[in-house]
Amino acid sequence: MSLVFRTVAQLAGISLSLLGWVLSCLTNYLPHWKNLNLDLNEMENWTMGLWQTCVIQEEGGMECKDFDSFLALPAELRISRVLMFLSNGLGFLGLLVSGFGLDCLRIGERQQDLKKRLLILGGVLFWTSGITALAPVSWVAHITVQEFWDETIPEIVPRWEFGEALFIGWFAGFFLVLGGSLLNYAACLAQAPPASGHYAAAEAQDHCQQLEMKNTNVKI
């Protein structure tokens, strides 16, 4: 029964991790980290991401402009770029490593210790990827809340609010952490027996040969 749980945990872990990695990539490039609604012009909305700002007009559609300078960006956006790139890279590496550690992959099925280590390493990489995705998203959200409730800013000045990319980033980090946890849990369960197919037949043949040699020695 533990083998069934192990297989289910592996498939669920790799699926959640893959979903989290895709969402983290979307979070990195979506220009919807912050939203700004202008009271004076309700037909125009502004959005801001890590790479560009966009203005959405009901008549003119959506126009975006990349940031001119990296150093001119606020500290939270500069560091968020680095952390999101790191999260995407670690998640991709985790997919490669943990993929070779799955029981459904027949490559290296007689090296169960190595597959277990790969599975644990993949889980750790997903954990790290999830944390590095949650950190910038939560930091930008914290700065947005502080600026929104800043009493020194006049009330007539528009305030930035949470964008859709922040929520996608939170889901991405949660799925990556949960997927990595399931992979580590699967690695701690009982391992599947390596002998299957021609390996099992070969071991059975060796066992028969040993019995025949013992019988021959007894007769002599």
Side-chain angles (χ1 to χ4, degrees):
M1 196 67 178
S2 61
L3 297 180
V4 177
F5 287 146
R6 174 185 173 88
T7 303
V8 172
Q10 287 183 1
L11 294 178
I14 197 69
S15 299
L16 288 174
S17 301
L18 176 60
L19 177 60
W21 178 72
V22 172
L23 292 178
S24 69
C25 293
L26 289 176
T27 303
N28 189 7
Y29 293 104
L30 281 177
H32 298 282
W33 284 57
K34 294 182 179 182
N35 292 338
L36 180 64
N37 297 324
L38 300 177
D39 295 333
L40 299 179
N41 187 2
E42 297 181 355
M43 300 179 61
E44 186 175 276
N45 296 325
W46 290 79
T47 64
M48 177 186 296
L50 299 180
W51 307 95
Q52 57 188 357
T53 57
C54 299
V55 56
I56 304 174
Q57 298 176 344
E58 293 186 2
E59 297 180 356
M62 183 175 180
E63 296 182 2
C64 297
K65 182 179 183 301
D66 296 336
F67 292 118
D68 296 329
S69 174
F70 174 78
L71 298 178
L73 293 174
E76 66 270 15
L77 295 185
R78 294 199 306 269
I79 299 178
S80 294
R81 282 189 180 185
V82 178
L83 291 177
M84 289 305 299
F85 264 128
L86 182 61
S87 176
N88 298 158
L90 291 174
F92 180 73
L93 185 61
L95 289 173
L96 293 179
V97 172
S98 59
F100 287 104
L102 297 176
D103 290 339
C104 59
L105 188 66
R106 295 303 180 184
I107 298 177
E109 60 182 354
R110 301 202 71 179
Q111 299 177 341
Q112 290 297 322
D113 291 338
L114 177 60
K115 291 175 74 71
K116 180 179 179 179
R117 294 192 188 99
L118 291 176
L119 207 62
I120 294 176
L121 178 59
V124 173
L125 288 173
F126 286 134
W127 255 85
T128 309
S129 176
I131 297 300
T132 51
L134 290 172
V137 171
S138 301
W139 188 12
V140 172
H142 175 69
I143 297 297
T144 304
V145 171
Q146 281 188 330
E147 294 176 350
F148 186 87
W149 296 109
D150 191 355
E151 297 181 353
T152 61
I153 301 177
E155 295 183 358
I156 60 174
V157 177
R159 313 294 178 95
W160 289 99
E161 299 182 9
F162 290 172
E164 294 82 358
L166 295 183
F167 298 99
I168 297 177
W170 279 318
F171 278 111
F174 174 74
F175 287 147
L176 285 168
V177 171
L178 181 58
S181 301
L182 286 175
L183 290 178
N184 288 331
Y185 169 74
C188 296
L189 293 176
Q191 297 182 6
S196 61
H198 62 280
Y199 293 123
E203 290 185 1
Q205 185 177 1
D206 293 340
H207 183 65
C208 293
Q209 291 178 355
Q210 292 177 1
L211 290 177
E212 290 178 357
M213 293 178 62
K214 289 182 180 180
N215 292 333
T216 303
N217 293 333
V218 170
K219 291 180 180 179
I220 295 175

